[in-house]
Amino acid sequence: MNIDELKLVAAAIVAKQKGLLAADESSPTIKKRFDAIQLESTEENRRRYRELLFTAGGIERYISGVILFDETLRQSSSGGIPFVRLLSERGIIPGIKVDKGAKSLALYSGNQITEGLDGLRDRLAEYRQLGARFAKWRAVIQIDECELPAPYAVHANVHALARYAALCQEADIVPIVEPEVLMDGKHGIERCEAVTSQVLKSLFEELDAHRIAFEGILLKPNMVIAGLKCPSQPEPRQIAEATVRCLKRYVPAAIPGIVFLSGGQSPQDATANLSAINELGPQPWQLSFSYGRALQAPVLDAWKGRDDSKVKAQEVFFKRCRLNGLARDGTYTESMEGN
Ligand code: 13P
């Protein structure tokens, strides 16, 4: 493990005003996104869409890295430039999703476990050779008002995250460790805080037991928010206070950065909440974004698969990148949405 290189890559990912684009939708997930704009999910359409994102003007000011899916890591632009090279030449670091998705946890109905550890050492060696400098593994934690998640499901998921993180560090790849407590359901913000706390506490115990160098990883958590169907929805300030309180209790200061997932929040909410979180700073870690839907939903809507709306879609994408860049230092306001 080359800890100096891991530290450099992690620091570059969470550089001032910058964060990650999560464009690593697996084939079934991107099909869902394309279905919503009535676009067929062919390999060529997926390539065209990723090219639109990766070639948008000016995004390198706010986007430090992109998480790619295996297929995309091997694709090229219409001009024949491999995406990995195209991104690297813009100063954007290529990363790779390495988990194989969340499946039902046997005998623990309602809980899920992420698969993908078998063969991971060999896959990481290949990904590193292809140019990936960081990786992502997403654990999915189901939550309800009292029974979910089962403590054993939390344990199984954080154990898998720690094994993944160790293999990444061994391969000189920065692991992004993503334990996502879902926002589906009616639970309130207090329940989300309790479950997120429990997950982060056992995650860092497990990472420590696996001898992970905390200085060379990034954490990708959910924000502490209420379930989507909860009748009482907290304001950004309350979300920010609960999120920072929870992180301060359970995340070691040695971690260089925390990059939030958007998890189904609207693009505006994800930006406003990140800005409110940063307004409470400074904190021991950089607090940034690694958004999928919150960066891409308006882009897909503007594009709809049409060549003549590509430029407009790229402008929409740049705007979301810029606003999240401002949220990195807490200077975003809702009035900027109109510009
Ligand atoms: P969302 O921001 O859409 O939650 O996606 C981030 C991600 O990479 C989930 O694994």
Side-chain angles (χ1 to χ4, degrees), residues 192-231:
C192 180
E193 184 170 353
V195 171
T196 305
S197 298
Q198 176 197 345
V199 169
L200 292 177
K201 182 171 184 288
S202 50
L203 173 65
F204 283 98
E205 283 166 9
E206 207 64 34
L207 291 171
D208 193 39
H210 281 72
R211 303 185 170 167
I212 300 304
F214 289 166
E215 293 77 6
I217 70 168
L218 294 168
L219 176 68
K220 176 164 173 169
N222 51 285
M223 292 176 188
V224 174
I225 50 182
L228 275 170
K229 293 199 186 122
C230 177

Side-chain angles (χ1 to χ4, degrees), residues 16-312:
K16 210 170 154 29
Q17 290 217 312
K18 290 188 183 182
L20 293 175
L21 164 67
D24 59 326
E25 296 83 3
S26 61
S27 300
T29 304
I30 197 73
K31 181 177 182 312
K32 248 194 281 173
R33 307 278 184 264
F34 281 5
D35 282 349
I37 56 165
Q38 277 104 49
L39 180 68
E40 198 187 342
S41 181
T42 61
E43 182 176 350
E44 175 56 11
N45 278 340
R46 295 192 290 271
R47 195 202 59 74
R48 282 171 67 228
Y49 175 56
R50 268 65 184 249
E51 177 165 350
L52 178 161
L53 295 172
F54 305 161
T55 57
I59 58 159
E60 65 278 7
R61 282 162 62 192
Y62 307 108
I63 299 296
S64 53
V66 179
I67 316 174
L68 304 164
F69 186 57
D70 181 276
E71 174 186 274
T72 321
L73 186 79
R74 302 169 196 276
Q75 284 175 325
S76 300
S77 70
S78 42
I81 304 171
F83 282 147
V84 170
R85 203 176 96 209
L86 187 152
L87 289 168
S88 304
E89 284 175 1
R90 297 189 73 181
I92 299 175
I93 307 169
I96 180 76
K97 167 203 187 73
V98 300
D99 68 69
K100 298 265 189 187
K103 309 281 157 56
S104 296
L105 180 63
L107 308 186
Y108 276 87
S109 168
N111 294 273
Q112 291 185 299
I113 182 72
T114 300
E115 296 186 345
L117 286 171
D118 286 354
L120 182 56
R121 177 178 271 137
D122 294 342
R123 288 196 290 132
L124 286 168
E126 190 200 6
Y127 287 143
R128 161 106 197 163
Q129 221 196 353
L130 289 170
R133 291 293 173 267
F134 69 95
K136 181 192 101 171
W137 177 290
R138 172 175 177 251
V140 179
I141 309 294
Q142 311 288 325
I143 174 173
D144 66 10
E145 283 145 288
C146 50
E147 288 189 355
L148 292 172
Y152 180 75
V154 173
H155 171 73
N157 274 292
V158 298
H159 184 262
L161 275 168
R163 285 194 57 202
Y164 141 82
L167 286 162
C168 285
Q169 289 200 325
E170 180 190 77
D172 296 329
I173 287 180
V174 171
I176 296 192
V177 174
E178 179 177 4
E180 175 175 3
V181 178
L182 293 179
M183 63 184 291
D184 302 336
K186 296 193 298 224
H187 59 276
I189 186 170
E190 296 79 10
R191 175 73 181 149
C192 180
E193 184 170 353
V195 171
T196 305
S197 298
Q198 176 197 345
V199 169
L200 292 177
K201 182 171 184 288
S202 50
L203 173 65
F204 283 98
E205 283 166 9
E206 207 64 34
L207 291 171
D208 193 39
H210 281 72
R211 303 185 170 167
I212 300 304
F214 289 166
E215 293 77 6
I217 70 168
L218 294 168
L219 176 68
K220 176 164 173 169
N222 51 285
M223 292 176 188
V224 174
I225 50 182
L228 275 170
K229 293 199 186 122
C230 177
S232 129
Q233 288 294 327
E235 292 296 315
R237 177 81 188 191
Q238 199 187 343
I239 290 170
E241 284 172 357
T243 302
V244 169
R245 178 169 59 233
C246 181
L247 296 172
K248 272 185 168 167
R249 284 184 182 155
Y250 299 105
V251 181
I255 301 288
I258 295 172
V259 291
F260 294 101
L261 58 93
S262 61
Q265 299 182 53
S266 72
Q268 287 83 354
D269 284 353
T271 309
N273 290 335
L274 179 64
S275 197
I277 286 170
N278 276 303
E279 265 182 66
L280 301 177
Q283 309 296 349
W285 348 260
Q286 293 295 311
L287 291 163
S288 185
F289 58 91
S290 174
Y291 292 161
R293 283 161 287 178
L295 280 170
Q296 295 185 56
V299 184
L300 283 163
D301 260 355
W303 180 50
K304 292 204 160 60
R306 297 200 312 257
D307 285 336
D308 59 359
S309 43
K310 178 176 171 184
V311 172
K312 176 71 196 150

